[in-house]
Amino acid sequence: MSLRVAVQMDPLESIGIAGDSTFALMLSAQARGHQLFHYLADQLSYEDGRVSALARPVTVQRVQGDHFAAGEPVRLDLARDVDVVLMRQDPPFDIGYITATYLLERIASETLVVNDPRSVRDAPEKLFVLDFARFMPPTLITRSLAEVQAFRERHGEVVVKPLHGNAGAAVFKIGRDGANLGALAELFTHVWREPFIVQAFLPAVADGDKRIVLIDGEVAGAINRRPGMGEIRSNLAAGGSAEKVELTDREQEICAALGPELRQRGLLFVGIDVIGGMLTEINVTSPTGIVAIDRFNGTDTPALIWDAIERRHAEHRST
């Protein structure tokens, strides 16, 4: 069955198609005969009980610089004119992002939204993970310099990062001497109104940070991301490199614990990050990594995601 799919994401003009997960999903959808539309989050509107978006019909191809063709914009009623909305814009997870989830939640009884907008709103990456604290490194969330200093004294080297950051941006390592910790805490409290996160540094990051992708609660694949020279950040967007990897018993245990909760929340496409057997993040807003996973494993993760979406859509229609 052909589906009408509206993709809420960043501008198509600016993406790097070689590794972009959303673009891979669009190619896969198109190959199945699904019709694609593209719009930006700020093109959502609400009027008289209806949620709409000014969207362009698009076709895609794997040719950088000539990777899409778009028709004239049309006003889509997202409850009546489409079958699936893919919410795939990149963070920051700010008030604009949250507002988009509130609007999309209003159509969720009529149109399948992936990932579920209420669950996305209720599960920011560095807070949802606290539900599984038994798998995490020692973690502090605060705006208090005194709390941060006491935490560093207990745990030695620490990592400080924004609570709602992404792609490894503004992640800092503080050594055992605590040098610059006060200035960094001051900067964070000045730039962001919310608390920030501090975690015990995991030396195992030198061996890599595993990105594990789960589809409807089941493991689909993983890659190991190694930091670049002189870096602690292993995000591919921050210069990390990817390599093939297998899951350990500990990582399988983590995935088994997360799976039922992800499925129950309607979080179909999730990427978790694990360093040295420690769970650090659960990425639900716009997970990445599937292109690299497929390159190393010879798999077709976008097809698995669409299999799950099509199953959920069939269930959605029958309720």
Side-chain angles (χ1 to χ4, degrees), residues 8-141:
Q8 177 177 302
M9 63 179 290
D10 300 320
L12 276 169
E13 291 84 353
S14 62
I15 64 172
I17 68 172
D20 190 273
S21 293
T22 306
F23 188 76
L25 286 171
M26 294 175 75
L27 283 171
S28 184
Q30 182 175 271
R32 291 177 177 230
H34 301 328
Q35 184 180 7
L36 296 172
F37 298 87
H38 169 270
Y39 71 92
L40 306 178
D42 63 11
Q43 292 170 320
L44 284 170
S45 298
Y46 169 90
E47 183 179 5
D48 295 333
R50 312 307 302 179
V51 177
S52 66
L54 188 63
R56 297 181 296 173
V58 295
T59 58
V60 290
Q61 62 179 356
R62 194 173 287 285
V63 180
Q64 183 66 56
D66 187 26
H67 52 279
F68 76 97
E72 290 298 314
V74 294
R75 176 64 61 182
L76 293 178
D77 183 320
L78 294 182
R80 295 173 176 169
D81 297 335
V82 300
D83 302 296
V84 177
V85 171
L86 291 185
M87 187 168 57
R88 290 287 303 173
Q89 80 268 25
D90 288 339
F93 189 74
D94 56 13
I95 195 65
Y97 212 115
I98 291 170
T99 300
T101 69
Y102 278 118
L103 291 174
L104 291 178
E105 186 180 351
R106 306 192 76 85
I107 67 165
S109 63
E110 299 171 85
T111 300
L112 178 64
V113 183
V114 179
N115 285 321
D116 179 85
R118 175 183 291 182
S119 294
V120 168
R121 186 175 65 248
D122 292 347
E125 355 277 42
K126 298 178 183 68
L127 290 173
F128 180 30
V129 70
L130 301 179
D131 289 356
F132 304 92
R134 66 191 183 275
F135 297 119
M136 294 179 65
T139 298
L140 171 70
I141 296 175

Side-chain angles (χ1 to χ4, degrees), residues 134-184:
R134 66 191 183 275
F135 297 119
M136 294 179 65
T139 298
L140 171 70
I141 296 175
T142 189
R143 284 175 65 86
S144 166
L145 175 57
E147 293 286 347
V148 174
Q149 289 172 330
F151 184 87
R152 195 219 43 86
E153 289 172 3
R154 290 193 299 273
H155 297 289
E157 296 178 305
V158 298
V159 171
V160 184
K161 51 189 173 181
L163 191 59
H164 298 302
N166 67 295
V171 176
F172 295 89
K173 177 186 174 185
I174 299 295
R176 293 182 179 275
D177 61 2
N180 294 318
L181 181 57
L184 186 59

Side-chain angles (χ1 to χ4, degrees), residues 183-247:
L184 186 59
E186 180 181 317
L187 174 64
F188 272 50
T189 55
H190 177 73
V191 174
W192 292 285
R193 296 187 64 180
E194 64 269 15
F196 50 93
I197 186 167
V198 188
Q199 290 182 319
F201 175 68
L202 299 173
V205 73
D207 297 321
D209 173 355
K210 288 188 185 178
R211 162 57 56 91
I212 306 171
V213 167
L214 296 96
I215 301 174
D216 210 9
E218 300 292 334
V219 174
I223 52 170
N224 192 45
R225 303 172 298 181
R226 287 187 179 270
M229 183 67 66
E231 273 281 2
I232 62 164
R233 303 175 299 171
S234 54
N235 310 70
L236 300 184
S241 59
E243 62 187 16
K244 184 178 176 65
V245 74
E246 301 293 333
L247 297 191

Side-chain angles (χ1 to χ4, degrees), residues 277-300:
M278 293 286 185
L279 178 65
T280 59
E281 292 188 16
I282 303 174
N283 297 276
V284 304
T285 49
S286 184
T288 61
I290 60 175
V291 175
I293 287 172
D294 289 344
R295 184 170 68 249
F296 286 112
N297 297 338
T299 48
D300 189 349

